[in-house]
Amino acid sequence: MVRLYFLLPDVKSVVGVADELRSLGVDDHHMHLLSNSSHDARMAHVPVAHAFHVSDAWNMTKRGALAGLLCGFWAVLLSSSGMYIGFVMFMQGGIIGAGAGALMGAIIGLGRNEVNIEEHELDIEEGKQMLLVDVDKNHQYEVIEKIRSHHREVEIETSHDYLHF
């Protein structure tokens, strides 16, 4: 799945884009509206974007797990002082490190917004609407082209994912 970010000028545009996304097969639970008011989401018949939808927790969890895995491996190697270490001990250090790193990353990620949302915080405060849409990676360009052809007022961005597991 890939997240698409639609920056829209008003609720009327959100209704039009959401209806077109539904006709393209996007379910309501894959669309979330980020707005100044939850009333806008009710008017557009789109679920409200909550903290988990806008936070950078998932991306930071992945980064933390990878960093923790590498640190766990290095910790086992450095603590062995040249002694023979078995494969099981080496893997245990990596797993423990990955778990600790993932937890730390998730905690840090919950405290910050995704990059795409941070770039448009002022626009949202001024009254624009941001529709967060998760689509299948194979159909993302089809969805973008259909929306752009019918809704010229929409600014569309894709997610800035750093790691793809």
Side-chain angles (χ1 to χ4, degrees):
M1 296 293 262
V2 173
R3 176 157 290 171
L4 302 177
Y5 301 84
F6 296 88
L7 189 63
L8 303 142
D10 53 27
V11 177
K12 182 181 175 187
S13 296
V14 173
V15 171
V17 170
D19 288 342
E20 188 156 353
L21 288 167
R22 288 181 189 109
S23 72
L24 292 171
V26 178
D27 294 330
D28 279 348
H29 65 276
H30 288 294
M31 289 189 271
H32 304 283
L33 184 64
L34 182 59
S35 174
N36 276 342
S37 168
S38 62
H39 179 66
D40 294 339
R42 278 182 263 141
M43 286 177 52
H45 303 291
V46 177
V48 176
H50 296 291
F52 187 72
H53 300 123
V54 299
S55 74
D56 203 22
W58 179 241
N59 184 42
M60 292 300 291
T61 300
K62 294 187 292 185
R63 287 175 155 197
L66 182 60
L69 177 77
L70 297 175
C71 287
F73 288 156
W74 278 107
V76 169
L77 287 176
L78 293 176
S79 67
S80 67
S81 302
M83 295 175 17
Y84 175 76
I85 55 171
F87 180 74
V88 173
M89 179 185 266
F90 190 68
M91 292 308 294
Q92 284 175 341
I95 291 169
I96 292 169
L103 180 62
M104 295 291 288
I107 291 169
I108 293 168
L110 281 172
R112 58 182 267 200
N113 288 337
E114 287 184 4
V115 174
N116 295 81
I117 294 171
E118 283 182 355
E119 292 173 355
H120 296 288
E121 282 180 348
L122 289 176
D123 293 328
I124 294 167
E125 286 178 15
E126 292 173 358
K128 289 190 177 183
Q129 316 290 316
M130 181 172 274
L131 188 63
L132 314 173
V133 182
D134 297 324
V135 297
D136 185 29
K137 197 172 190 173
N138 298 328
H139 295 24
Q140 71 176 340
Y141 298 112
E142 175 187 343
V143 169
I144 291 170
E145 289 304 315
K146 295 262 184 177
I147 298 298
R148 278 199 178 134
S149 67
H150 296 115
H151 301 276
R152 297 282 179 196
E153 76 277 10
V154 178
E155 294 178 41
I156 304 172
E157 297 178 7
T158 58
S159 59
H160 296 294
D161 269 345
Y162 299 100
L163 297 173
H164 300 281
F165 288 133

